[in-house]
Amino acid sequence: MCTSRDLLSPEPCQDSFATIKSTSRNCELHMLVFDACITKSGTTPKGDTDLVKLQRIGSHLFLDRMPDPFLSLCLVPTKYPLRAPPSFRHAADEIQIGLPALMSTYSDAYFTLLANWLNDCDLNHPDCYLKAIPSNKGLALPTKLLDVGSSASQQSILLCSSTSLGLKGEDTRYIALSHPWGDSRHNNHFSTTATNVSPRLTSGIAISSLPKTFKDAVSVTRALGIRYLWIDSLCIVQGPQGDFETEAQKMETVFSLAYCVIAASSASGTSSGFLSSRPQRKSVALNLSANSGKGDVGDSEDNNAMVYVCEAIDNFQTDVIDGPLNQRGWVLQERALARRTIYFTERQTYFECGAGVRCETLTKMTNNQSSFLGDPNFPQVALTSSKGGKIRLYESLYKTYSRLQFTRAYDRPIAIAGLEQRLVAAFDTRGGYGIFDRVPFFGRSLLWTCEEPGGMRRIEFPKEGLGRYRVPPSWSWMAYTGAIGFMDLPFEGVHWLEDDVRSPWGAAVWEMSLDTSGSGNSTASSMWHTGRTDQDNNLSGKGRRLVVGLKVVEKKIKWDAGQRPTGIDDAKELRVVAVGRRKSKSNKPARALEHHVLVVVGIGGWTDSGGRRIYERVGVGSLPGDWITHNEQEEEISIF
């Protein structure tokens, strides 16, 4: 195994674990393989006689039967054209040019690489680079931006109003920071508030006073040659008399109009920073010299290229998608709406745009989520998808989002509102609070299920200063904490009962201006959406009674709280609203068909303005048709 000929061959090579272990004391290559055997999860051999079998596929070495790369290979030319020995030319053509070691953060070479990623994307990916903000779509710059200046020696930054400075979208580029706030006991959130916004607008902010994560964001922005930076806690006035409620509804445009988003993936909070040193990547150079016999490990004056065997550290899934920053609820929307993002992770730096992912090692990767969340014109894929494809798209998105974390649980509805607006526009429909109007979206999105162990819990929303803003109705999963799923119903197999349950989105309130061109651009004022206070949130429908006992029916019910609501001891206290029923190929009567229902319970003696009793959702189920009433003993109800 200790030869370049063995490792670069497409044929497998192998040694016993005992041989690798003993030889590792004197051979750098065997030491690298031995370390990988120990550190790679699930790959440690069981005994000294076990074989370690490696095979090269492209630029990676794979351990027998393991799906992920065991080690990586990279080619480093010393001059052009490449003059590899004949026996290695085929392998050299298959191995990516790359960097065996990571550059130092803050170095000129490191920042040059980041700038080159963006410059290449500007020139070659027209869908990713927004040259100017189209004024005819009613879009505008963020209300406030940070002017970081043009000199690295400048000791302060200025919070500025984009309108008062006369900044225009066609000539203003800005960077947006995606970051974790962290626990306030260990992190200085350094928020702009009603009491300090004035001096920050007039006198500026000393860079020395910024927490480390914000200092790093300023450094990156300046190094990329961009003058303006957007940071949520600085550019949105937080707390009492702040403008969070207004600005939160603009997140769709803040991230989608940014020249680039920088994601502080390695930061634990505002005080930790994200340009810290990374673990050095282990590597060993293979000699490709034609005069070096079988190709010893080492260097040679005859080479004009070197192949390095390196630790396999290119893992966008683990470092970014499954990383701690991406477990924050706000970040899903930020990633989906961004045109391109630079991720600063603990192991290396990644660049994602609509064309894929690039690594700091110079590896180019494709990411199966890039066509969706990495889409610079999210959700372009929805425009070409079938109805079934659209349904699976939003179900997957909402299931993922429901499992993310929030410092303030009541941010759950608004942290995805901008992304939801894009989906509503792409589906050419109406909606809000995670529900889409019109068949087949309406019924399926209403039939979400609780998948949280122990059940979901109602979110306690602030009672002062918000009115009904951001307080979702009980029929929305956004009113609760916890993970959701959706009832698995066959496509084209459900007859949706539009007369039995009606959405709050009446035609009279819908003078919509939806952009279905693919840009997904829609203005908050043109549609009803999550967070609006001037629309009725209630569903209306037919409340059907149960004709079987509670012990029988609750075997078919999936309760939102994980168990039957306290105080419900009789099926007579429940109502069900039929959302759909199974289609019949033989014209069976409704009583003989399975019905997919919302389970609701009355809220005291409350009634709406039309005199209908008000109910709230407590679960869903699929019930035999002869368990519920049909046409008799039904009442018109309102569901909040």
Side-chain angles (χ1 to χ4, degrees):
M1 186 181 289
C2 192
T3 68
S4 56
R5 186 183 305 276
D6 290 340
L7 287 177
L8 300 183
S9 168
E11 299 299 320
C13 61
Q14 62 185 36
D15 265 335
S16 68
F17 180 66
T19 300
I20 292 173
K21 182 178 180 180
S22 61
T23 313
S24 67
R25 301 185 183 95
N26 304 307
C27 173
E28 290 180 333
L29 179 58
H30 276 88
M31 173 61 76
L32 187 63
V33 174
F34 177 71
D35 286 346
C37 285
I38 300 301
T39 59
K40 289 284 184 180
S41 177
T43 63
T44 305
K46 296 292 190 277
D48 287 350
T49 59
D50 288 350
L51 290 178
V52 178
K53 183 185 294 185
L54 297 179
Q55 182 172 13
R56 182 184 66 81
I57 301 176
S59 294
H60 299 290
L61 296 174
F62 288 85
L63 191 68
D64 190 32
R65 295 184 298 276
M66 294 299 294
D68 297 323
F70 185 69
L71 294 166
S72 294
L73 299 168
C74 70
L75 181 69
V76 181
T78 57
K79 66 177 68 173
Y80 291 94
L82 179 64
R83 190 184 71 252
S87 57
F88 300 121
R89 284 176 186 164
H90 178 68
D93 290 340
E94 296 179 344
I95 297 173
Q96 289 192 25
I97 292 175
L99 298 176
L102 300 178
M103 292 174 281
S104 172
T105 55
Y106 287 108
S107 68
D108 290 342
Y110 176 74
F111 287 129
T112 297
L113 174 64
L114 308 188
N116 285 342
W117 280 339
L118 285 167
N119 291 336
D120 179 70
C121 187
D122 289 348
L123 294 172
N124 299 304
H125 307 152
D127 288 340
C128 301
Y129 176 35
L130 187 68
K131 293 184 179 180
I133 297 173
S135 57
N136 64 334
K137 294 186 181 294
L139 303 177
L141 289 168
T143 304
K144 296 181 184 66
L145 289 168
L146 295 163
D147 184 348
V148 302
S150 55
S151 171
S153 61
Q154 193 170 327
Q155 298 302 305
S156 65
I157 60 176
L158 182 68
L159 182 66
C160 59
S161 166
S162 57
T163 53
S164 64
L165 289 181
L167 299 178
K168 297 181 180 179
E170 53 266 26
D171 56 14
T172 303
R173 298 189 301 181
Y174 66 91
I175 299 292
L177 175 66
S178 175
H179 71 100
W181 287 42
D183 190 326
S184 60
R185 294 172 297 178
H186 308 292
N187 292 275
N188 176 12
H189 291 168
F190 203 73
S191 299
T192 296
T193 64
T195 58
N196 65 22
V197 62
S198 181
R200 289 185 177 187
L201 285 167
T202 55
S203 304
I205 305 168
I207 291 178
S208 60
S209 67
L210 292 173
K212 185 67 166 56
T213 297
F214 297 170
K215 287 180 181 176
D216 287 350
V218 171
S219 296
V220 171
T221 302
R222 287 175 170 176
L224 294 176
I226 306 300
R227 181 162 181 173
Y228 296 100
L229 171 66
W230 184 90
I231 300 176
D232 53 1
S233 57
L234 297 185
C235 296
I236 297 176
V237 181
Q238 308 289 325
Q241 300 179 328
D243 56 9
F244 176 82
E245 311 306 339
T246 301
E247 295 299 306
Q249 296 184 58
K250 301 178 182 179
M251 290 301 100
E252 175 190 7
T253 55
V254 168
F255 284 91
S256 64
L257 299 183
Y259 176 69
C260 181
V261 172
I262 56 176
S265 301
S266 61
S268 59
T270 55
S271 297
S272 63
F274 59 86
L275 289 178
S276 306
S277 60
R278 290 78 52 85
Q280 276 303 311
R281 187 187 194 192
K282 299 175 183 177
S283 64
V284 175
L286 297 181
N287 192 339
L288 296 186
S289 171
N291 298 325
S292 60
K294 294 183 67 177
D296 300 330
V297 174
D299 201 354
S300 170
E301 295 181 357
D302 294 332
N303 277 338
N304 72 349
M306 295 295 294
V307 170
Y308 287 81
V309 184
C310 315
E311 280 185 280
I313 65 169
D314 302 328
N315 197 326
F316 189 75
Q317 180 71 38
T318 297
D319 295 344
V320 174
I321 297 175
D322 297 335
L325 179 63
N326 274 46
Q327 305 313 304
R328 289 181 59 240
W330 283 94
V331 172
L332 180 70
Q333 175 173 263
E334 295 167 3
R335 181 182 176 213
L337 297 179
R339 292 181 173 274
R340 56 243 183 125
T341 304
I342 300 175
Y343 298 93
F344 298 85
T345 76
E346 291 182 350
R347 292 172 63 84
Q348 66 164 308
T349 307
Y350 297 89
F351 174 75
E352 180 185 34
C353 71
V357 175
R358 296 191 182 190
C359 309
E360 187 181 341
T361 61
L362 303 190
T363 300
K364 295 181 180 180
M365 306 173 67
T366 56
N367 168 36
N368 59 2
Q369 289 198 24
S370 287
S371 60
F372 179 29
L373 291 180
D375 179 2
N377 292 305
F378 178 91
Q380 183 72 32
V381 65
L383 298 177
T384 56
S385 297
S386 64
K387 285 186 177 180
K390 292 181 174 70
I391 290 167
R392 290 294 182 244
L393 184 152
Y394 79 70
E395 286 183 348
S396 173
L397 181 74
Y398 286 163
K399 285 191 287 187
T400 298
Y401 179 73
S402 71
R403 288 160 171 79
L404 302 180
Q405 303 162 1
F406 287 95
T407 302
R408 302 180 304 191
Y410 55 80
D411 282 343
R412 180 156 152 135
I414 204 67
I416 201 172
L419 189 152
E420 181 180 54
Q421 291 175 50
R422 289 286 189 94
L423 290 174
V424 167
F427 293 175
D428 191 19
T429 186
R430 309 174 291 218
Y433 293 119
I435 309 299
F436 299 96
D437 200 13
R438 299 179 184 164
V439 173
F441 306 120
F442 182 52
R444 288 183 180 273
S445 56
L446 271 180
L447 293 171
W448 55 267
T449 60
C450 168
E451 301 298 331
E452 182 69 20
M456 302 173 76
R457 297 291 179 266
R458 288 296 290 265
I459 296 171
E460 185 174 343
F461 289 85
K463 296 179 180 179
E464 296 183 2
L466 293 176
R468 293 179 64 185
Y469 178 73
R470 295 192 309 162
V471 181
S474 68
W475 44 263
S476 167
W477 51 266
M478 293 184 182
Y480 309 85
T481 61
I484 66 162
F486 291 89
M487 294 182 71
D488 188 14
L489 304 176
F491 294 122
E492 308 301 331
V494 179
H495 173 63
W496 300 106
L497 302 174
E498 298 178 72
D499 291 334
D500 278 52
V501 58
R502 297 174 293 280
S503 80
W505 304 297
V509 300
W510 288 96
E511 295 180 0
M512 301 187 62
S513 175
L514 295 179
D515 172 14
T516 56
S517 64
S519 68
N521 293 321
S522 58
T523 61
S525 61
S526 70
M527 61 169 64
W528 187 100
H529 63 85
T530 300
R532 284 281 295 272
T533 62
D534 55 351
Q535 298 294 343
D536 187 359
N537 291 340
N538 290 17
L539 294 175
S540 59
K542 298 177 181 179
R544 300 172 184 250
R545 297 177 183 272
L546 293 162
V547 296
V548 295
L550 186 57
K551 288 186 178 180
V552 173
V553 76
E554 72 175 336
K555 294 178 182 179
K556 294 278 190 176
I557 294 175
K558 194 155 192 176
W559 303 108
D560 296 339
Q563 60 185 357
R564 185 201 317 163
T566 302
I568 301 298
D569 301 313
D570 194 316
K572 294 179 180 179
E573 300 172 79
L574 299 173
R575 296 291 184 271
V576 296
V577 178
V579 178
R581 66 169 178 255
R582 182 168 55 85
K583 285 185 177 178
S584 172
K585 296 180 179 179
S586 57
N587 295 319
K588 292 182 179 179
R591 293 178 183 274
L593 299 173
E594 184 179 54
H595 284 61
H596 311 299
V597 304
L598 302 180
V599 183
V600 299
V601 64
I603 305 178
W606 292 6
T607 59
D608 65 10
S609 58
R612 296 172 298 188
R613 188 178 176 193
I614 296 178
Y615 286 75
E616 63 179 345
R617 171 184 154 142
V618 292
V620 293
S622 292
L623 309 180
D626 57 2
W627 286 15
I628 61 179
T629 57
H630 294 268
N631 300 321
E632 73 276 4
Q633 298 181 339
E634 294 176 358
E635 63 175 316
E636 282 292 322
I637 66 172
S638 183
I639 309 167
F640 176 74

